[in-house]
Amino acid sequence: MQNRTLPGLPELLLGIADKLDRKHPTKPVTQALVLAQALVVAEELHGPTEAAEDAERAILPLLPAVTGQTRGEYSTQLRLAAVGAVL
């Protein structure tokens, strides 16, 4: 994957995972929630800048598919994706 070399991708994935784990980890995850958290975490990491927008666009293809997982289960998938993002 070409996006793996962009700085901050593992941190973004882990940041989203942390947020999902902290709030209602047993509730179902939704695509809308994941997309919203991607933007929030990108802006937390980079500020409200073009770098945040670039990071958000780069992270979207790395996000696992939402297929009925709980937030906790999805966060585990994000953590595994973060490991892959640094290979």
Side-chain angles (χ1 to χ4, degrees):
M1 254 179 249
Q2 65 186 19
N3 291 334
R4 284 192 234 181
T5 59
L6 194 74
L9 290 182
E11 291 85 357
L12 286 169
L13 291 166
L14 295 172
I16 297 167
D18 289 344
K19 286 184 176 293
L20 294 175
D21 268 342
R22 266 184 266 156
K23 192 167 185 180
H24 309 295
T26 59
K27 287 188 176 183
V29 71
T30 64
Q31 185 70 28
L33 175 62
V34 172
L35 295 176
Q37 292 305 318
L39 174 60
V40 168
V41 172
E43 287 193 349
E44 287 176 352
L45 186 62
H46 296 286
T49 63
E50 271 189 53
E53 292 174 18
D54 291 343
E56 181 192 10
R57 276 192 296 277
I59 199 79
L60 294 179
L62 300 177
L63 295 173
V66 175
T67 58
Q69 308 93 317
T70 66
R71 294 175 184 195
E73 291 166 340
Y74 193 83
S75 71
T76 298
Q77 291 178 310
L78 288 171
R79 291 178 200 293
L80 292 172
V83 172
V86 295
L87 294 178

Coordinates of all heavy atoms in Angstrom, one line a residue:
M1 N 0.8 -1.2 0.0 CA 0.0 0.0 0.0 C 0.9 1.3 0.0 O 1.7 1.4 0.8 CB -0.8 0.0 1.3 CG -2.3 -0.3 1.1 SD -3.1 -0.3 2.6 CE -3.5 -2.0 2.8
Q2 N 0.6 2.2 -0.9 CA 1.5 3.3 -0.9 C 1.2 4.3 0.2 O 2.1 5.0 0.6 CB 1.2 4.1 -2.2 CG -0.2 4.6 -2.3 CD -0.5 5.2 -3.7 OE1 0.2 4.9 -4.7 NE2 -1.5 6.1 -3.8
N3 N 0.1 4.3 0.9 CA -0.2 5.2 2.0 C 0.5 4.8 3.3 O 0.6 5.6 4.2 CB -1.7 5.1 2.3 CG -2.5 5.8 1.2 OD1 -2.0 6.6 0.5 ND2 -3.8 5.4 1.0
R4 N 1.1 3.7 3.3 CA 1.8 3.3 4.6 C 3.0 4.2 4.9 O 3.3 4.3 6.1 CB 2.4 1.9 4.4 CG 1.3 0.9 4.5 CD 1.9 -0.5 4.7 NE 1.4 -1.3 3.7 CZ 1.8 -2.6 3.5 NH1 2.7 -3.1 4.3 NH2 1.2 -3.3 2.6
T5 N 3.5 4.9 3.9 CA 4.7 5.7 4.2 C 4.3 7.1 4.7 O 5.2 7.9 5.1 CB 5.6 5.9 3.0 OG1 4.8 6.4 1.9 CG2 6.1 4.5 2.5
L6 N 3.1 7.5 4.7 CA 2.6 8.8 5.1 C 2.8 8.9 6.6 O 2.3 8.0 7.3 CB 1.2 9.1 4.7 CG 0.7 10.5 4.8 CD1 1.3 11.4 3.7 CD2 -0.8 10.6 4.8
P7 N 3.5 9.9 7.2 CA 3.6 10.0 8.6 C 2.3 10.1 9.3 O 1.4 10.7 8.9 CB 4.4 11.3 8.8 CG 5.0 11.6 7.5 CD 4.1 11.0 6.5
G8 N 2.2 9.4 10.5 CA 1.0 9.6 11.3 C -0.1 8.6 11.1 O -1.0 8.5 11.9
L9 N 0.0 7.7 10.1 CA -1.1 6.8 9.8 C -1.3 5.8 11.0 O -2.4 5.6 11.4 CB -0.9 6.0 8.5 CG -1.1 6.9 7.3 CD1 -0.9 6.1 6.0 CD2 -2.4 7.6 7.3
P10 N -0.2 5.2 11.5 CA -0.5 4.3 12.7 C -1.1 5.0 13.9 O -2.0 4.5 14.5 CB 0.9 3.7 13.0 CG 1.7 3.9 11.8 CD 1.2 5.1 11.1
E11 N -0.6 6.2 14.1 CA -1.2 7.0 15.2 C -2.7 7.3 15.0 O -3.5 7.3 15.9 CB -0.4 8.3 15.4 CG 1.0 8.1 15.9 CD 2.0 7.8 14.8 OE1 1.6 7.7 13.6 OE2 3.2 7.7 15.1
L12 N -3.0 7.6 13.7 CA -4.5 7.8 13.4 C -5.3 6.6 13.7 O -6.4 6.7 14.3 CB -4.6 8.3 12.0 CG -4.2 9.7 11.6 CD1 -4.2 9.9 10.1 CD2 -5.1 10.7 12.3
L13 N -4.8 5.5 13.2 CA -5.6 4.2 13.4 C -5.7 3.9 14.9 O -6.8 3.6 15.4 CB -4.9 3.1 12.7 CG -4.9 3.1 11.2 CD1 -3.9 2.1 10.6 CD2 -6.3 2.8 10.7
L14 N -4.6 4.1 15.7 CA -4.6 3.9 17.1 C -5.5 4.9 17.8 O -6.2 4.5 18.8 CB -3.2 3.8 17.7 CG -2.3 2.7 17.2 CD1 -0.9 2.9 17.6 CD2 -2.9 1.4 17.6
G15 N -5.5 6.1 17.4 CA -6.4 7.1 18.0 C -7.8 6.8 17.8 O -8.6 7.0 18.7
I16 N -8.2 6.4 16.6 CA -9.6 6.0 16.4 C -10.0 4.8 17.3 O -11.0 4.8 17.9 CB -9.9 5.7 14.9 CG1 -9.6 6.9 14.0 CG2 -11.3 5.1 14.7 CD1 -9.6 6.6 12.5
A17 N -9.1 3.8 17.4 CA -9.3 2.6 18.2 C -9.5 3.0 19.6 O -10.4 2.6 20.3 CB -8.1 1.7 18.0
D18 N -8.6 3.9 20.1 CA -8.7 4.4 21.5 C -10.1 5.0 21.8 O -10.7 4.8 22.8 CB -7.6 5.4 21.9 CG -6.3 4.7 22.0 OD1 -6.2 3.5 22.1 OD2 -5.3 5.5 21.9
K19 N -10.6 5.9 20.9 CA -11.8 6.6 21.1 C -13.0 5.5 21.1 O -13.9 5.7 21.9 CB -12.1 7.6 20.0 CG -11.2 8.8 20.2 CD -11.6 9.9 19.1 CE -10.8 11.1 19.4 NZ -11.2 11.8 20.6
L20 N -12.9 4.6 20.2 CA -14.0 3.6 20.2 C -14.0 2.7 21.4 O -15.1 2.3 21.9 CB -13.9 2.7 18.9 CG -14.1 3.4 17.6 CD1 -13.8 2.5 16.4 CD2 -15.5 4.0 17.5
D21 N -12.8 2.4 21.9 CA -12.7 1.6 23.1 C -13.2 2.3 24.4 O -13.8 1.7 25.3 CB -11.2 1.2 23.4 CG -10.9 -0.1 22.8 OD1 -11.8 -0.9 22.5 OD2 -9.7 -0.4 22.6
R22 N -13.0 3.6 24.4 CA -13.3 4.4 25.6 C -14.8 4.6 25.8 O -15.3 4.8 26.9 CB -12.7 5.8 25.5 CG -11.3 5.8 26.3 CD -10.7 7.2 26.3 NE -9.9 7.2 25.1 CZ -9.4 8.2 24.4 NH1 -9.8 9.4 24.8 NH2 -8.6 8.1 23.4
K23 N -15.6 4.7 24.7 CA -17.0 5.1 24.8 C -17.8 4.0 24.2 O -17.8 3.7 23.0 CB -17.3 6.4 24.1 CG -18.6 7.0 24.4 CD -18.7 8.4 24.0 CE -20.1 8.9 24.4 NZ -20.2 10.3 24.0
H24 N -18.5 3.3 25.1 CA -19.5 2.2 24.7 C -18.9 1.1 23.8 O -19.4 0.9 22.7 CB -20.7 2.8 24.0 CG -21.3 4.0 24.7 ND1 -22.0 3.8 25.9 CD2 -21.4 5.3 24.4 CE1 -22.4 5.0 26.3 NE2 -22.1 5.9 25.5
P25 N -17.8 0.5 24.2 CA -17.2 -0.5 23.4 C -18.0 -1.7 23.0 O -17.7 -2.4 22.1 CB -16.0 -1.0 24.2 CG -16.3 -0.7 25.6 CD -17.2 0.6 25.6
T26 N -19.2 -1.9 23.7 CA -20.0 -3.1 23.4 C -21.2 -2.7 22.4 O -21.9 -3.6 22.0 CB -20.6 -3.7 24.7 OG1 -21.4 -2.7 25.3 CG2 -19.5 -4.2 25.6
K27 N -21.3 -1.4 22.1 CA -22.3 -1.0 21.1 C -21.8 -1.2 19.7 O -20.6 -1.2 19.5 CB -22.6 0.5 21.3 CG -23.5 0.7 22.6 CD -23.9 2.2 22.6 CE -24.8 2.4 23.8 NZ -25.4 3.8 23.8
P28 N -22.7 -1.4 18.8 CA -22.3 -1.6 17.4 C -21.6 -0.3 16.8 O -21.9 0.8 17.2 CB -23.6 -1.8 16.6 CG -24.6 -2.1 17.7 CD -24.2 -1.5 18.9
V29 N -20.6 -0.6 16.0 CA -19.9 0.5 15.3 C -20.7 0.8 14.0 O -21.3 -0.1 13.5 CB -18.4 0.2 15.0 CG1 -18.3 -0.9 14.0 CG2 -17.7 1.4 14.7
T30 N -20.6 2.1 13.6 CA -21.3 2.4 12.3 C -20.2 3.1 11.4 O -19.2 3.6 11.9 CB -22.4 3.4 12.5 OG1 -21.9 4.7 13.0 CG2 -23.5 2.9 13.4
Q31 N -20.5 3.0 10.1 CA -19.6 3.6 9.2 C -19.5 5.1 9.4 O -18.4 5.7 9.4 CB -20.0 3.3 7.7 CG -19.1 3.8 6.7 CD -17.8 3.0 6.6 OE1 -17.8 1.9 6.9 NE2 -16.7 3.7 6.2
A32 N -20.6 5.7 9.7 CA -20.6 7.2 10.0 C -19.7 7.5 11.2 O -19.0 8.5 11.1 CB -22.0 7.7 10.2
L33 N -19.8 6.7 12.2 CA -19.0 7.0 13.4 C -17.5 6.9 13.1 O -16.7 7.7 13.5 CB -19.3 6.0 14.5 CG -18.5 6.1 15.8 CD1 -18.6 7.4 16.5 CD2 -18.8 4.9 16.7
V34 N -17.1 5.8 12.3 CA -15.7 5.6 12.0 C -15.2 6.8 11.1 O -14.1 7.3 11.4 CB -15.5 4.3 11.2 CG1 -14.1 4.2 10.7 CG2 -15.9 3.1 12.2
L35 N -16.0 7.2 10.1 CA -15.6 8.3 9.3 C -15.4 9.6 10.1 O -14.5 10.4 9.9 CB -16.5 8.5 8.1 CG -16.6 7.4 7.1 CD1 -17.7 7.6 6.1 CD2 -15.2 7.1 6.5
A36 N -16.4 9.9 11.0 CA -16.3 11.1 11.8 C -15.1 11.0 12.7 O -14.4 12.0 12.9 CB -17.6 11.2 12.7
Q37 N -14.8 9.9 13.3 CA -13.6 9.8 14.2 C -12.3 9.9 13.4 O -11.3 10.4 13.9 CB -13.6 8.5 15.0 CG -14.7 8.4 16.0 CD -14.7 9.5 17.0 OE1 -13.7 9.9 17.5 NE2 -15.9 10.1 17.3
A38 N -12.3 9.5 12.2 CA -11.1 9.7 11.3 C -10.8 11.1 11.2 O -9.6 11.6 11.3 CB -11.3 9.0 10.0
L39 N -11.8 12.0 11.0 CA -11.6 13.4 10.8 C -11.2 14.0 12.2 O -10.2 14.8 12.3 CB -12.8 14.1 10.3 CG -12.8 15.6 10.3 CD1 -11.7 16.1 9.4 CD2 -14.1 16.2 9.9
V40 N -11.8 13.6 13.3 CA -11.5 14.2 14.6 C -10.1 13.9 15.0 O -9.3 14.7 15.4 CB -12.5 13.6 15.6 CG1 -12.1 13.9 17.1 CG2 -13.9 14.2 15.4
V41 N -9.7 12.6 14.8 CA -8.4 12.2 15.2 C -7.3 12.9 14.3 O -6.2 13.3 14.8 CB -8.2 10.7 15.2 CG1 -6.8 10.2 15.4 CG2 -9.1 10.1 16.3
A42 N -7.6 13.0 13.0 CA -6.6 13.7 12.1 C -6.4 15.1 12.6 O -5.3 15.6 12.6 CB -7.1 13.6 10.7
E43 N -7.5 15.8 12.9 CA -7.3 17.2 13.4 C -6.7 17.2 14.8 O -6.0 18.2 15.0 CB -8.7 17.9 13.3 CG -9.1 18.2 11.9 CD -10.3 19.2 11.8 OE1 -10.9 19.5 12.9 OE2 -10.5 19.6 10.7
E44 N -6.9 16.3 15.6 CA -6.2 16.3 16.9 C -4.7 16.1 16.7 O -3.9 16.7 17.4 CB -6.8 15.1 17.8 CG -8.1 15.4 18.4 CD -8.7 14.2 19.1 OE1 -8.1 13.1 19.2 OE2 -9.8 14.4 19.7
L45 N -4.3 15.3 15.7 CA -2.9 15.0 15.5 C -2.2 16.1 14.7 O -1.1 16.5 15.0 CB -2.8 13.7 14.7 CG -1.4 13.2 14.5 CD1 -0.7 12.8 15.8 CD2 -1.4 11.9 13.6
H46 N -2.9 16.7 13.8 CA -2.3 17.7 12.9 C -2.9 19.1 13.0 O -2.4 20.0 12.3 CB -2.5 17.3 11.4 CG -1.8 16.0 11.1 ND1 -0.4 15.9 10.9 CD2 -2.3 14.7 10.9 CE1 -0.1 14.6 10.6 NE2 -1.2 13.9 10.6
G47 N -3.9 19.3 13.8 CA -4.5 20.6 13.9 C -5.5 20.8 12.7 O -5.5 19.9 11.8
P48 N -6.2 21.9 12.6 CA -7.1 22.1 11.5 C -6.4 22.6 10.2 O -6.4 23.8 9.9 CB -8.1 23.1 12.0 CG -7.3 23.9 13.0 CD -6.3 22.9 13.6
T49 N -5.6 21.7 9.6 CA -4.7 22.1 8.6 C -4.9 21.2 7.3 O -5.6 20.2 7.4 CB -3.2 21.9 9.0 OG1 -3.0 20.5 9.3 CG2 -2.9 22.7 10.2
E50 N -4.2 21.5 6.3 CA -4.2 20.6 5.1 C -3.6 19.3 5.4 O -4.0 18.3 4.8 CB -3.5 21.3 3.9 CG -4.3 22.2 3.1 CD -3.6 22.6 1.8 OE1 -3.1 21.8 1.1 OE2 -3.6 23.8 1.6
A51 N -2.6 19.3 6.3 CA -2.0 18.0 6.7 C -3.1 17.1 7.3 O -3.1 15.8 7.1 CB -0.9 18.2 7.7
A52 N -4.0 17.6 8.1 CA -5.1 16.8 8.6 C -6.0 16.2 7.5 O -6.4 15.1 7.6 CB -5.9 17.6 9.6
E53 N -6.3 17.1 6.6 CA -7.1 16.6 5.4 C -6.4 15.5 4.6 O -7.0 14.5 4.3 CB -7.5 17.8 4.5 CG -8.4 18.8 5.2 CD -8.7 20.0 4.4 OE1 -8.4 20.0 3.1 OE2 -9.1 21.0 4.9
D54 N -5.1 15.7 4.4 CA -4.3 14.7 3.7 C -4.3 13.4 4.5 O -4.4 12.3 3.9 CB -2.9 15.2 3.5 CG -2.8 16.3 2.5 OD1 -3.8 16.6 1.7 OD2 -1.8 17.0 2.4
A55 N -4.1 13.5 5.8 CA -4.0 12.3 6.6 C -5.4 11.6 6.6 O -5.4 10.4 6.5 CB -3.6 12.7 8.0
E56 N -6.5 12.4 6.7 CA -7.8 11.7 6.7 C -8.0 11.0 5.4 O -8.5 9.8 5.4 CB -8.9 12.8 6.9 CG -10.3 12.2 6.9 CD -11.4 13.2 6.8 OE1 -11.1 14.4 6.5 OE2 -12.5 12.8 7.0
R57 N -7.7 11.6 4.3 CA -7.8 10.9 3.0 C -7.0 9.7 2.9 O -7.4 8.7 2.3 CB -7.5 11.9 1.8 CG -8.6 12.8 1.4 CD -8.3 13.5 0.1 NE -7.2 14.4 0.2 CZ -7.3 15.7 0.7 NH1 -8.4 16.2 1.1 NH2 -6.2 16.4 0.8
A58 N -5.8 9.7 3.4 CA -4.9 8.6 3.4 C -5.3 7.5 4.3 O -5.1 6.3 3.9 CB -3.5 9.0 3.8
I59 N -6.0 7.8 5.3 CA -6.4 6.7 6.3 C -7.6 6.0 5.8 O -7.8 4.8 6.1 CB -6.6 7.3 7.7 CG1 -6.6 6.3 8.8 CG2 -8.0 8.0 7.8 CD1 -5.3 5.8 9.1
L60 N -8.5 6.6 5.0 CA -9.8 6.0 4.6 C -9.6 4.6 4.0 O -10.3 3.7 4.3 CB -10.6 6.9 3.8 CG -11.1 8.2 4.5 CD1 -11.8 9.1 3.5 CD2 -11.9 7.9 5.7
P61 N -8.7 4.4 3.1 CA -8.5 3.1 2.5 C -8.0 2.0 3.4 O -8.1 0.8 3.2 CB -7.5 3.3 1.3 CG -7.3 4.7 1.2 CD -7.8 5.4 2.4
L62 N -7.4 2.5 4.5 CA -6.8 1.5 5.5 C -7.9 1.1 6.5 O -7.6 0.1 7.3 CB -5.7 2.2 6.2 CG -4.5 2.6 5.4 CD1 -3.4 3.3 6.2 CD2 -3.9 1.4 4.6
L63 N -9.0 1.7 6.6 CA -10.0 1.4 7.6 C -10.7 0.1 7.2 O -11.1 -0.1 6.1 CB -11.1 2.5 7.7 CG -10.6 3.8 8.2 CD1 -11.7 4.9 8.0 CD2 -10.1 3.7 9.6
P64 N -10.8 -0.9 8.2 CA -11.5 -2.1 7.9 C -13.0 -1.8 7.6 O -13.6 -0.8 8.0 CB -11.4 -2.9 9.3 CG -10.3 -2.2 10.0 CD -10.3 -0.8 9.5
A65 N -13.6 -2.8 6.9 CA -15.0 -2.7 6.6 C -15.8 -2.8 7.8 O -15.5 -3.6 8.7 CB -15.4 -3.7 5.6
V66 N -16.9 -2.0 7.9 CA -17.8 -2.1 9.0 C -18.9 -3.2 8.6 O -19.6 -3.0 7.6 CB -18.5 -0.8 9.3 CG1 -19.6 -0.9 10.4 CG2 -17.5 0.3 9.7
T67 N -18.9 -4.3 9.4 CA -19.7 -5.4 9.1 C -20.5 -6.0 10.3 O -20.7 -7.2 10.4 CB -18.9 -6.6 8.5 OG1 -17.9 -7.0 9.4 CG2 -18.2 -6.2 7.2
G68 N -20.9 -5.0 11.1 CA -21.7 -5.5 12.3 C -20.9 -5.7 13.6 O -21.4 -6.2 14.5
Q69 N -19.6 -5.3 13.6 CA -18.8 -5.4 14.8 C -19.3 -4.5 15.9 O -19.9 -3.4 15.6 CB -17.3 -5.1 14.5 CG -16.7 -5.7 13.3 CD -16.8 -4.9 12.0 OE1 -17.8 -4.3 11.7 NE2 -15.7 -4.9 11.3
T70 N -18.8 -4.8 17.1 CA -19.0 -3.8 18.2 C -17.8 -2.8 18.0 O -16.9 -3.0 17.3 CB -18.9 -4.5 19.6 OG1 -17.5 -5.0 19.7 CG2 -19.9 -5.6 19.7
R71 N -17.9 -1.7 18.8 CA -16.9 -0.7 18.7 C -15.5 -1.3 19.2 O -14.5 -1.0 18.7 CB -17.2 0.5 19.6 CG -18.4 1.2 19.0 CD -18.8 2.3 20.0 NE -20.0 3.0 19.5 CZ -20.4 4.2 19.9 NH1 -19.8 4.8 20.9 NH2 -21.5 4.7 19.4
G72 N -15.6 -2.2 20.2 CA -14.4 -2.8 20.8 C -13.8 -3.8 19.8 O -12.6 -3.8 19.6
E73 N -14.6 -4.6 19.1 CA -14.1 -5.5 18.0 C -13.5 -4.7 16.9 O -12.4 -5.1 16.4 CB -15.3 -6.3 17.5 CG -15.8 -7.3 18.5 CD -17.1 -8.0 18.1 OE1 -17.8 -7.4 17.2 OE2 -17.4 -9.0 18.6
Y74 N -14.1 -3.6 16.5 CA -13.6 -2.8 15.4 C -12.2 -2.1 15.9 O -11.3 -2.1 15.1 CB -14.6 -1.7 15.0 CG -14.2 -1.1 13.7 CD1 -14.6 -1.6 12.5 CD2 -13.5 0.1 13.7 CE1 -14.2 -1.0 11.3 CE2 -13.2 0.8 12.5 CZ -13.5 0.2 11.3 OH -13.2 0.7 10.1
S75 N -12.2 -1.7 17.1 CA -10.9 -1.1 17.6 C -9.8 -2.1 17.5 O -8.6 -1.8 17.2 CB -11.1 -0.6 19.0 OG -11.2 -1.6 19.9
T76 N -10.1 -3.4 17.8 CA -9.0 -4.4 17.6 C -8.6 -4.5 16.2 O -7.4 -4.7 15.9 CB -9.6 -5.8 18.1 OG1 -9.9 -5.7 19.5 CG2 -8.5 -6.9 17.9
Q77 N -9.5 -4.5 15.3 CA -9.2 -4.5 13.8 C -8.3 -3.3 13.5 O -7.4 -3.4 12.7 CB -10.4 -4.6 13.0 CG -11.1 -5.9 13.1 CD -12.4 -5.9 12.3 OE1 -13.2 -5.0 12.4 NE2 -12.6 -7.0 11.5
L78 N -8.6 -2.2 14.0 CA -7.8 -1.0 13.8 C -6.4 -1.1 14.3 O -5.4 -0.7 13.6 CB -8.5 0.3 14.4 CG -9.7 0.8 13.7 CD1 -10.4 1.8 14.6 CD2 -9.4 1.3 12.3
R79 N -6.3 -1.7 15.5 CA -4.9 -1.9 16.0 C -4.1 -2.8 15.1 O -2.9 -2.6 14.9 CB -5.0 -2.4 17.5 CG -5.6 -1.4 18.4 CD -5.8 -1.9 19.8 NE -6.7 -1.1 20.6 CZ -6.5 0.1 21.0 NH1 -5.4 0.7 20.7 NH2 -7.5 0.7 21.7
L80 N -4.7 -3.9 14.6 CA -4.0 -4.8 13.7 C -3.7 -4.0 12.4 O -2.6 -4.2 11.8 CB -4.9 -6.0 13.4 CG -5.1 -6.9 14.5 CD1 -6.2 -8.0 14.2 CD2 -3.8 -7.6 15.0
A81 N -4.6 -3.2 11.9 CA -4.2 -2.4 10.7 C -3.1 -1.4 11.0 O -2.3 -1.2 10.1 CB -5.5 -1.6 10.3
A82 N -3.0 -0.9 12.2 CA -1.9 0.0 12.5 C -0.6 -0.7 12.5 O 0.4 -0.1 12.0 CB -2.1 0.6 13.9
V83 N -0.5 -2.0 12.9 CA 0.7 -2.7 12.8 C 1.1 -2.9 11.3 O 2.2 -2.7 10.9 CB 0.5 -4.1 13.4 CG1 1.7 -5.0 13.1 CG2 0.3 -4.0 14.9
G84 N 0.1 -3.2 10.4 CA 0.3 -3.3 9.0 C 0.8 -1.9 8.4 O 1.5 -1.9 7.4
A85 N 0.3 -0.9 9.0 CA 0.6 0.5 8.4 C 2.1 0.8 8.6 O 2.6 1.8 8.0 CB -0.3 1.5 9.0
V86 N 2.8 0.2 9.5 CA 4.2 0.5 9.8 C 5.1 -0.5 9.2 O 6.3 -0.4 9.3 CB 4.5 0.7 11.3 CG1 3.7 1.8 11.8 CG2 4.2 -0.6 12.1
L87 N 4.6 -1.6 8.5 CA 5.5 -2.6 7.9 C 6.3 -2.0 6.7 O 5.8 -1.1 6.0 CB 4.7 -3.8 7.4 CG 4.0 -4.6 8.5 CD1 3.2 -5.7 7.9 CD2 5.0 -5.1 9.5

